[in-house]
Amino acid sequence: MNLLFKIGFLEISIVNIIDITLVSLLLYQIYKLLRGSVAIKIFLGFLSIYLVYLLVSALRMELLSIILGQFMGVGVIAAIIIFAPEIRKFLLIIGRSSILSNENVWQELLFWRKRETHAFNINPIIEASKTLSGTNMGALMVISRSTELKFYAESGDLIDAIISKRLLISIFNKYSPLHDGAVIIYNGKVKAARCILPVTERDVPAQFGLRHRAAIGMSEATDTLILIVSEETGQISLAKNGKILHNLSFQEVREFLNDYLTGVDIDEKFEPITVYERNRFKGSRSASSAS
């Protein structure tokens, strides 16, 4: 059994250490997934009741064990219903991080092709963003490097046109019938416009409107980089993996786009919503104290 050591009557083996480590990692990932949402309080409540159930079972409190045992049996079904959005999000994260989620993986395996990076000329995106920002025209652009996002593209109007500054500006013009929604960009082409994106169910700062909520929701569901131009302020934001960077310069946007399209890991550079809210609170408090 590969016994490592004993603590009283407990015998600790290598398998036990691996088991405890894996359970700890699983609980940590669940906490990260639920952090910042109302569901975290429900999860902690379920966890507390389960720990009490284990305690009373160990102490052989039969009546309380029976009551809590019945609750835990029904609680599994209740948890599936309550945490349905979080479970769906968890499965999406697993699916998108799997090697099998890549549409071209079978071609690469069968024909031994070297995986190609989908870098392309991003100047039209930068130049269009400058014009849109300067004229306070809102925009939402989904940039993908690994998939055409057909499911989301089919929710809008298919275009499949080579990307250009004039095309993007005309799409997001306030009087254009295509401006309401997102543009999907893949492999140097605008695949579709007026696309509907999933909206995040997490709490976000009040200053973030529907575009930012949709961008965060899309970044949670897919491995894409989403560019947002605020209609109110003209500020540029980027969303990735459920996190966001706000009020970026165009040079920063260019660097992030180039890194993302060439396969550089940029996830660690993005801030969670809770961190952004905390920094904003500190900034407003210091400003008020200075005045």
Side-chain angles (χ1 to χ4, degrees), residues 90-106:
F90 182 68
L91 294 176
L92 281 170
I93 292 172
I94 294 175
R96 82 183 188 194
S97 61
S98 172
I99 186 174
L100 298 178
S101 63
N102 194 323
E103 292 181 350
N104 301 320
V105 68
W106 296 113

PDB file of all heavy atoms in Angstrom, residues 90-106:
ATOM      1  N   PHE A  90     -18.364  25.196 -16.179  1.00  0.00           N
ATOM      2  CA  PHE A  90     -17.238  24.321 -15.845  1.00  0.00           C
ATOM      3  C   PHE A  90     -16.956  23.350 -16.988  1.00  0.00           C
ATOM      4  O   PHE A  90     -15.801  23.125 -17.365  1.00  0.00           O
ATOM      5  CB  PHE A  90     -17.552  23.572 -14.557  1.00  0.00           C
ATOM      6  CG  PHE A  90     -16.450  22.670 -14.080  1.00  0.00           C
ATOM      7  CD1 PHE A  90     -15.265  23.195 -13.615  1.00  0.00           C
ATOM      8  CD2 PHE A  90     -16.597  21.292 -14.103  1.00  0.00           C
ATOM      9  CE1 PHE A  90     -14.244  22.372 -13.163  1.00  0.00           C
ATOM     10  CE2 PHE A  90     -15.585  20.459 -13.666  1.00  0.00           C
ATOM     11  CZ  PHE A  90     -14.404  21.000 -13.189  1.00  0.00           C
ATOM     12  N   LEU A  91     -18.017  22.773 -17.566  1.00  0.00           N
ATOM     13  CA  LEU A  91     -17.854  21.841 -18.685  1.00  0.00           C
ATOM     14  C   LEU A  91     -17.337  22.562 -19.926  1.00  0.00           C
ATOM     15  O   LEU A  91     -16.562  21.990 -20.704  1.00  0.00           O
ATOM     16  CB  LEU A  91     -19.184  21.145 -18.986  1.00  0.00           C
ATOM     17  CG  LEU A  91     -19.705  20.212 -17.869  1.00  0.00           C
ATOM     18  CD1 LEU A  91     -21.074  19.662 -18.235  1.00  0.00           C
ATOM     19  CD2 LEU A  91     -18.724  19.070 -17.621  1.00  0.00           C
ATOM     20  N   LEU A  92     -17.768  23.815 -20.116  1.00  0.00           N
ATOM     21  CA  LEU A  92     -17.262  24.596 -21.252  1.00  0.00           C
ATOM     22  C   LEU A  92     -15.771  24.857 -21.109  1.00  0.00           C
ATOM     23  O   LEU A  92     -15.024  24.793 -22.087  1.00  0.00           O
ATOM     24  CB  LEU A  92     -18.015  25.919 -21.347  1.00  0.00           C
ATOM     25  CG  LEU A  92     -19.411  25.876 -21.978  1.00  0.00           C
ATOM     26  CD1 LEU A  92     -20.125  27.205 -21.780  1.00  0.00           C
ATOM     27  CD2 LEU A  92     -19.317  25.537 -23.463  1.00  0.00           C
ATOM     28  N   ILE A  93     -15.331  25.153 -19.872  1.00  0.00           N
ATOM     29  CA  ILE A  93     -13.909  25.391 -19.635  1.00  0.00           C
ATOM     30  C   ILE A  93     -13.094  24.137 -19.937  1.00  0.00           C
ATOM     31  O   ILE A  93     -12.037  24.189 -20.566  1.00  0.00           O
ATOM     32  CB  ILE A  93     -13.688  25.858 -18.181  1.00  0.00           C
ATOM     33  CG1 ILE A  93     -14.280  27.255 -17.985  1.00  0.00           C
ATOM     34  CG2 ILE A  93     -12.198  25.870 -17.838  1.00  0.00           C
ATOM     35  CD1 ILE A  93     -14.270  27.716 -16.539  1.00  0.00           C
ATOM     36  N   ILE A  94     -13.601  22.972 -19.487  1.00  0.00           N
ATOM     37  CA  ILE A  94     -12.907  21.708 -19.755  1.00  0.00           C
ATOM     38  C   ILE A  94     -12.877  21.431 -21.255  1.00  0.00           C
ATOM     39  O   ILE A  94     -11.858  21.038 -21.822  1.00  0.00           O
ATOM     40  CB  ILE A  94     -13.591  20.551 -19.004  1.00  0.00           C
ATOM     41  CG1 ILE A  94     -13.449  20.740 -17.491  1.00  0.00           C
ATOM     42  CG2 ILE A  94     -13.008  19.211 -19.422  1.00  0.00           C
ATOM     43  CD1 ILE A  94     -14.186  19.709 -16.675  1.00  0.00           C
ATOM     44  N   GLY A  95     -14.010  21.666 -21.911  1.00  0.00           N
ATOM     45  CA  GLY A  95     -14.089  21.385 -23.349  1.00  0.00           C
ATOM     46  C   GLY A  95     -13.186  22.257 -24.179  1.00  0.00           C
ATOM     47  O   GLY A  95     -12.526  21.791 -25.100  1.00  0.00           O
ATOM     48  N   ARG A  96     -13.117  23.545 -23.841  1.00  0.00           N
ATOM     49  CA  ARG A  96     -12.308  24.441 -24.663  1.00  0.00           C
ATOM     50  C   ARG A  96     -10.815  24.273 -24.389  1.00  0.00           C
ATOM     51  O   ARG A  96      -9.983  24.648 -25.211  1.00  0.00           O
ATOM     52  CB  ARG A  96     -12.728  25.886 -24.428  1.00  0.00           C
ATOM     53  CG  ARG A  96     -12.146  26.543 -23.202  1.00  0.00           C
ATOM     54  CD  ARG A  96     -12.681  27.939 -23.035  1.00  0.00           C
ATOM     55  NE  ARG A  96     -11.985  28.621 -21.965  1.00  0.00           N
ATOM     56  CZ  ARG A  96     -12.391  29.744 -21.414  1.00  0.00           C
ATOM     57  NH1 ARG A  96     -13.504  30.302 -21.824  1.00  0.00           N
ATOM     58  NH2 ARG A  96     -11.703  30.310 -20.448  1.00  0.00           N
ATOM     59  N   SER A  97     -10.459  23.738 -23.219  1.00  0.00           N
ATOM     60  CA  SER A  97      -9.041  23.530 -22.906  1.00  0.00           C
ATOM     61  C   SER A  97      -8.540  22.180 -23.415  1.00  0.00           C
ATOM     62  O   SER A  97      -7.350  21.898 -23.358  1.00  0.00           O
ATOM     63  CB  SER A  97      -8.812  23.621 -21.393  1.00  0.00           C
ATOM     64  OG  SER A  97      -9.544  22.623 -20.719  1.00  0.00           O
ATOM     65  N   SER A  98      -9.443  21.349 -23.899  1.00  0.00           N
ATOM     66  CA  SER A  98      -9.048  20.038 -24.407  1.00  0.00           C
ATOM     67  C   SER A  98      -8.459  20.163 -25.797  1.00  0.00           C
ATOM     68  O   SER A  98      -8.873  20.995 -26.605  1.00  0.00           O
ATOM     69  CB  SER A  98     -10.261  19.097 -24.440  1.00  0.00           C
ATOM     70  OG  SER A  98      -9.937  17.898 -25.100  1.00  0.00           O
ATOM     71  N   ILE A  99      -7.505  19.308 -26.100  1.00  0.00           N
ATOM     72  CA  ILE A  99      -6.902  19.308 -27.439  1.00  0.00           C
ATOM     73  C   ILE A  99      -7.918  18.925 -28.505  1.00  0.00           C
ATOM     74  O   ILE A  99      -7.836  19.337 -29.657  1.00  0.00           O
ATOM     75  CB  ILE A  99      -5.689  18.349 -27.480  1.00  0.00           C
ATOM     76  CG1 ILE A  99      -4.965  18.452 -28.826  1.00  0.00           C
ATOM     77  CG2 ILE A  99      -6.140  16.904 -27.234  1.00  0.00           C
ATOM     78  CD1 ILE A  99      -3.694  17.639 -28.876  1.00  0.00           C
ATOM     79  N   LEU A 100      -8.932  18.149 -28.123  1.00  0.00           N
ATOM     80  CA  LEU A 100      -9.936  17.717 -29.084  1.00  0.00           C
ATOM     81  C   LEU A 100     -10.905  18.829 -29.447  1.00  0.00           C
ATOM     82  O   LEU A 100     -11.704  18.672 -30.362  1.00  0.00           O
ATOM     83  CB  LEU A 100     -10.723  16.523 -28.524  1.00  0.00           C
ATOM     84  CG  LEU A 100      -9.906  15.271 -28.235  1.00  0.00           C
ATOM     85  CD1 LEU A 100     -10.799  14.195 -27.639  1.00  0.00           C
ATOM     86  CD2 LEU A 100      -9.228  14.749 -29.493  1.00  0.00           C
ATOM     87  N   SER A 101     -10.869  19.967 -28.743  1.00  0.00           N
ATOM     88  CA  SER A 101     -11.773  21.062 -29.049  1.00  0.00           C
ATOM     89  C   SER A 101     -11.352  21.823 -30.293  1.00  0.00           C
ATOM     90  O   SER A 101     -12.139  22.581 -30.857  1.00  0.00           O
ATOM     91  CB  SER A 101     -11.839  22.033 -27.868  1.00  0.00           C
ATOM     92  OG  SER A 101     -10.568  22.620 -27.637  1.00  0.00           O
ATOM     93  N   ASN A 102     -10.110  21.647 -30.730  1.00  0.00           N
ATOM     94  CA  ASN A 102      -9.632  22.321 -31.927  1.00  0.00           C
ATOM     95  C   ASN A 102     -10.211  21.645 -33.159  1.00  0.00           C
ATOM     96  O   ASN A 102     -10.102  20.431 -33.317  1.00  0.00           O
ATOM     97  CB  ASN A 102      -8.096  22.283 -31.967  1.00  0.00           C
ATOM     98  CG  ASN A 102      -7.534  23.252 -32.988  1.00  0.00           C
ATOM     99  OD1 ASN A 102      -8.102  23.444 -34.058  1.00  0.00           O
ATOM    100  ND2 ASN A 102      -6.401  23.840 -32.640  1.00  0.00           N
ATOM    101  N   GLU A 103     -10.812  22.448 -34.052  1.00  0.00           N
ATOM    102  CA  GLU A 103     -11.456  21.891 -35.236  1.00  0.00           C
ATOM    103  C   GLU A 103     -10.460  21.215 -36.166  1.00  0.00           C
ATOM    104  O   GLU A 103     -10.801  20.320 -36.925  1.00  0.00           O
ATOM    105  CB  GLU A 103     -12.195  23.002 -35.991  1.00  0.00           C
ATOM    106  CG  GLU A 103     -13.389  23.542 -35.232  1.00  0.00           C
ATOM    107  CD  GLU A 103     -14.105  24.625 -36.016  1.00  0.00           C
ATOM    108  OE1 GLU A 103     -13.547  25.060 -37.045  1.00  0.00           O
ATOM    109  OE2 GLU A 103     -15.207  25.035 -35.615  1.00  0.00           O
ATOM    110  N   ASN A 104      -9.214  21.652 -36.141  1.00  0.00           N
ATOM    111  CA  ASN A 104      -8.218  21.122 -37.076  1.00  0.00           C
ATOM    112  C   ASN A 104      -7.352  20.028 -36.472  1.00  0.00           C
ATOM    113  O   ASN A 104      -6.380  19.601 -37.086  1.00  0.00           O
ATOM    114  CB  ASN A 104      -7.303  22.265 -37.568  1.00  0.00           C
ATOM    115  CG  ASN A 104      -8.101  23.349 -38.264  1.00  0.00           C
ATOM    116  OD1 ASN A 104      -9.034  23.057 -39.007  1.00  0.00           O
ATOM    117  ND2 ASN A 104      -7.744  24.596 -38.014  1.00  0.00           N
ATOM    118  N   VAL A 105      -7.709  19.570 -35.264  1.00  0.00           N
ATOM    119  CA  VAL A 105      -6.827  18.629 -34.581  1.00  0.00           C
ATOM    120  C   VAL A 105      -6.723  17.313 -35.329  1.00  0.00           C
ATOM    121  O   VAL A 105      -5.643  16.710 -35.403  1.00  0.00           O
ATOM    122  CB  VAL A 105      -7.302  18.406 -33.131  1.00  0.00           C
ATOM    123  CG1 VAL A 105      -8.637  17.672 -33.100  1.00  0.00           C
ATOM    124  CG2 VAL A 105      -6.270  17.637 -32.335  1.00  0.00           C
ATOM    125  N   TRP A 106      -7.840  16.833 -35.908  1.00  0.00           N
ATOM    126  CA  TRP A 106      -7.794  15.551 -36.611  1.00  0.00           C
ATOM    127  C   TRP A 106      -6.957  15.644 -37.873  1.00  0.00           C
ATOM    128  O   TRP A 106      -6.245  14.706 -38.229  1.00  0.00           O
ATOM    129  CB  TRP A 106      -9.213  15.087 -36.937  1.00  0.00           C
ATOM    130  CG  TRP A 106     -10.021  14.813 -35.708  1.00  0.00           C
ATOM    131  CD1 TRP A 106     -11.105  15.496 -35.255  1.00  0.00           C
ATOM    132  CD2 TRP A 106      -9.766  13.789 -34.736  1.00  0.00           C
ATOM    133  NE1 TRP A 106     -11.550  14.968 -34.073  1.00  0.00           N
ATOM    134  CE2 TRP A 106     -10.757  13.911 -33.730  1.00  0.00           C
ATOM    135  CE3 TRP A 106      -8.810  12.788 -34.614  1.00  0.00           C
ATOM    136  CZ2 TRP A 106     -10.806  13.080 -32.640  1.00  0.00           C
ATOM    137  CZ3 TRP A 106      -8.874  11.948 -33.517  1.00  0.00           C
ATOM    138  CH2 TRP A 106      -9.854  12.103 -32.544  1.00  0.00           C
TER     139      TRP A 106
END
